[in-house]
Amino acid sequence: MTRSRVPTLLVTVVVLLSCSGVAVTTAGAAQPSVQISSVTVTPSDPAPGESVTVETTISNLEGSNGAIDITDIYVRTSETAKEQERVENVGTISPGNSLTVPMSITFSDTGNKKLTVYVVVQDEDGEYQTYEYPVSVTVEKPNEALLSLSTTTAAADSQTPVNVTVANGYTGKISGVQLNLTGSGTVESPERIKGSIASGSEHTFQYDVTFDEVGTRTLTAEVTYTNDEGMTRTVTKSIDVNVEEPVVKADLAASSSSSDGSSVTTVELTNFGNTLLSDVQITATADGEVIARKKVADVEPDASSSATFDDTDSVAGTITYTATYTAAGSDHSTTINDRSEVPGEIYLTGVDITQTGTTVTLQGDAANIGSTDTKSVLLSVNTTGGVSSTASSGEYFVGAIEGSEFATFELTARTQQEASSIPIDITYIVNGKRVTKTQRVALESTNSTAPGGVAQAGADGNGQASASGPGGRGGFEGPGNSGGILPTGLLSGLPLTEIGIVLLLAIIGAIGYATYRWRNP
């Protein structure tokens, strides 16, 4: 009895993968006794480097002549024609039954991949038959978890902060997020876990990394997660870090302010180096005794951190602030002495104005209202707004003025009718820096006395300047007076004795005024 052999038939199937499922189209009119019923690929949208499961189902139809043996199943790609995976001695399928065989493959890059699944079958007569099943797979980078790494300036033998951000660009949440940071450096607690990250959200993991050597070093972050379709995926991202020689450089600054009758001093530590300042502590001492001690947050390069000390004005003597910290594997300290000195500042006070026609003479004091010395103090009339300086006395060089001291000055300017004030440029050096500012001295159209007894410029009936009031340094106001010490009208009506008394008082006043100007000519 001769058995009929199962004819060899090439079954051509194209599987189009999409997010909705698998569509199968079969070419050929006859249905053989042995068939590759289906080939499924999971996930349907694989990523490069991701493990892809290819499940092949082989059926032995009811009308077959007997059991068949599946000797081999293997997968080839059209790009290389090399086997990606092979399974041997799969098993036996009796008539009316089927068998599903899984295989795992990976793709190294993106693109449209053409695969062919081969199934080798041996029947009871020992005849071998080979079946083919083509599959098309699109491999692309997933847009679910996106990784980014950032860091500050890195220095050898110093902790470098590194931030790794996991962003979820998937339409659903990702869960079971596991992040691992590795590289050419020592990473503290490299493995981190986050339960889930919602769609459109992100989470940043903070690391401290210590690099042992100078040069370019690489850090690699790897995140593994599961999307809401149950697929587990892995994404990696690397960054090159330029590691420099460690530079430890820090500075302290103190500033004081008053509020509700009590003083507050803020001490700020600034990191001008390239190493992290950790374990920072600022201590305030006076006469060798500790007044207060404050902990301060770690200071990254090009950043600052501060501490506040209360009631510092109640401490007698100089307060010393010392910042201690660890950088580049060793301990360091920076100290500043504070009575919070106020930088020197020049301000014009007690200004007398004498006007003759368009010429205005200003006499007064240049006062240092700060606690530090000022140098090279120069006063000059600013030519603007109807005001101009004179060639001979439009500038006055004062020189140095100690803290809380003053010096006299005299300037001459020319004014036009519309001028309401005279701008004076003040230039000086304080704490090694040159400062320039402008102070305006007000003019008035009538005789008046400024607050504090400083007489302001006015004009009498002859267009001459005069001053009135007890604070004026000019002459007394009266008919026919043109700026002399005593008007003739006042002398004419007095007896000789009274005239002598008046003259004596005038002489005493002149001596007092000369003594005032003698202090700093």
Side-chain angles (χ1 to χ4, degrees):
M1 177 179 178
T2 303
R3 295 182 179 178
S4 62
R5 295 179 179 178
V6 178
T8 301
L9 179 65
L10 174 64
V11 180
T12 303
V13 181
V14 177
V15 178
L16 301 177
L17 298 180
S18 65
C19 294
S20 59
V22 179
V24 179
T25 302
T26 303
Q31 293 293 330
S33 298
V34 178
Q35 291 182 346
I36 300 178
S37 303
S38 65
V39 174
T40 59
V41 179
T42 308
S44 59
D45 53 348
E50 184 176 33
S51 178
V52 178
T53 300
V54 179
E55 289 187 332
T56 304
T57 301
I58 306 102
S59 299
N60 188 5
L61 302 181
E62 290 283 354
S64 69
N65 295 327
I68 57 173
D69 292 328
I70 309 299
T71 61
D72 298 271
I73 300 178
Y74 56 95
V75 179
R76 285 180 176 173
T77 62
S78 59
E79 297 175 347
T80 62
K82 293 181 179 180
E83 291 184 11
Q84 296 292 316
E85 181 71 9
R86 175 183 285 267
V87 179
E88 298 179 347
N89 300 319
V90 177
T92 301
I93 307 175
S94 58
N97 293 315
S98 62
L99 179 66
T100 299
V101 181
M103 293 179 291
S104 295
I105 61 174
T106 58
F107 302 97
S108 60
D109 55 0
T110 60
N112 188 32
K113 310 298 180 181
K114 297 184 181 300
L115 310 178
T116 303
V117 178
Y118 295 89
V119 177
V120 181
V121 177
Q122 184 181 24
D123 59 18
E124 291 183 346
D125 294 336
E127 296 287 340
Y128 289 93
Q129 300 170 355
T130 301
Y131 298 85
E132 299 178 11
Y133 200 110
V135 180
S136 179
V137 179
T138 300
V139 181
E140 56 187 3
K141 291 182 178 180
N143 59 353
E144 296 173 358
L146 304 176
L147 277 175
S148 62
L149 291 82
S150 63
T151 182
T152 60
T153 302
D157 299 323
S158 175
Q159 283 188 347
T160 301
V162 177
N163 293 330
V164 182
T165 300
V166 181
N168 181 11
Y170 184 54
T171 55
K173 74 174 183 179
I174 58 176
S175 58
V177 180
Q178 299 181 22
L179 180 65
N180 189 32
L181 182 65
T182 58
S184 50
T186 302
V187 182
E188 292 187 10
S189 303
E191 296 180 357
R192 307 292 176 86
I193 297 176
K194 176 71 175 174
S196 63
I197 301 177
S199 175
S201 299
E202 63 182 30
H203 183 78
T204 299
F205 300 85
Q206 297 178 339
Y207 290 89
D208 287 328
V209 182
T210 302
F211 299 96
D212 298 331
E213 299 178 356
V214 175
T216 301
R217 299 292 178 261
T218 302
L219 293 175
T220 300
E222 181 182 87
V223 61
T224 302
Y225 62 93
T226 303
N227 61 23
D228 59 0
E229 294 180 353
M231 299 307 304
T232 299
R233 287 181 167 166
T234 299
V235 177
T236 60
K237 178 79 172 183
S238 297
I239 184 176
D240 289 334
V241 181
N242 182 29
V243 183
E244 303 173 350
E245 289 284 356
V247 176
V248 181
K249 184 178 180 181
D251 192 19
L252 274 178
S255 60
S256 296
S257 61
S258 298
S259 177
D260 299 330
S262 62
S263 66
V264 174
T265 300
T266 301
V267 181
E268 185 177 64
L269 179 66
T270 303
N271 185 357
F272 293 104
N274 61 1
T275 65
L276 177 73
L277 308 183
S278 59
D279 301 326
V280 183
Q281 183 174 266
I282 299 179
T283 304
T285 58
D287 295 331
E289 296 184 0
V290 176
I291 301 173
R293 184 180 286 112
K294 299 291 182 70
K295 282 281 189 181
V296 178
D298 292 350
V299 188
E300 296 183 3
D302 299 323
S304 299
S305 191
S306 62
T308 301
F309 297 85
D310 299 327
D311 298 327
T312 53
D313 57 350
S314 63
V315 180
T318 301
I319 302 177
T320 300
Y321 296 98
T322 302
T324 57
Y325 46 89
T326 301
S330 59
D331 296 332
H332 302 266
S333 65
T334 302
T335 299
I336 183 175
N337 293 327
D338 179 60
R339 213 353 151 202
S340 286
E341 293 182 333
V342 178
E345 181 181 359
I346 302 302
Y347 188 80
L348 305 182
T349 63
V351 181
D352 286 349
I353 301 176
T354 304
Q355 185 169 354
T356 303
T358 60
T359 301
V360 178
T361 301
L362 300 93
Q363 295 177 324
D365 300 323
N368 184 351
I369 60 176
S371 61
T372 64
D373 298 345
T374 58
K375 301 177 182 179
S376 302
V377 179
L378 176 66
L379 309 179
S380 58
V381 176
N382 188 326
T383 301
T384 181
V387 178
S388 61
S389 63
T390 62
S392 59
S393 55
E395 290 185 343
Y396 192 94
F397 182 75
V398 179
I401 304 178
E402 297 178 356
S404 302
E405 292 293 338
F406 68 92
T408 61
F409 72 92
E410 182 174 327
L411 291 170
T412 303
R414 288 191 175 91
T415 62
Q416 298 179 10
Q417 187 176 1
E418 68 271 13
S420 60
S421 63
I422 299 178
I424 306 299
D425 290 339
I426 307 171
T427 303
Y428 54 93
I429 297 174
V430 58
N431 296 336
K433 296 182 180 179
R434 184 173 297 278
V435 178
T436 300
K437 68 177 186 177
T438 301
Q439 180 177 336
R440 287 186 171 271
V441 178
L443 294 173
E444 295 186 11
S445 60
T446 59
N447 297 338
S448 61
T449 301
V454 178
Q456 301 299 317
D460 61 13
N462 298 322
Q464 300 296 318
S466 61
S468 65
R473 295 180 183 174
F476 291 95
E477 183 181 8
N481 179 30
S482 60
I485 297 176
L486 293 175
T488 57
L490 178 62
L491 295 176
S492 62
L494 293 176
L496 187 58
T497 304
E498 283 80 351
I499 292 174
I501 295 174
V502 172
L503 290 173
L504 179 60
L505 292 175
I507 293 171
I508 294 173
I511 294 173
Y513 183 75
T515 303
Y516 173 82
R517 288 299 177 190
W518 172 84
R519 187 182 184 280
N520 196 340

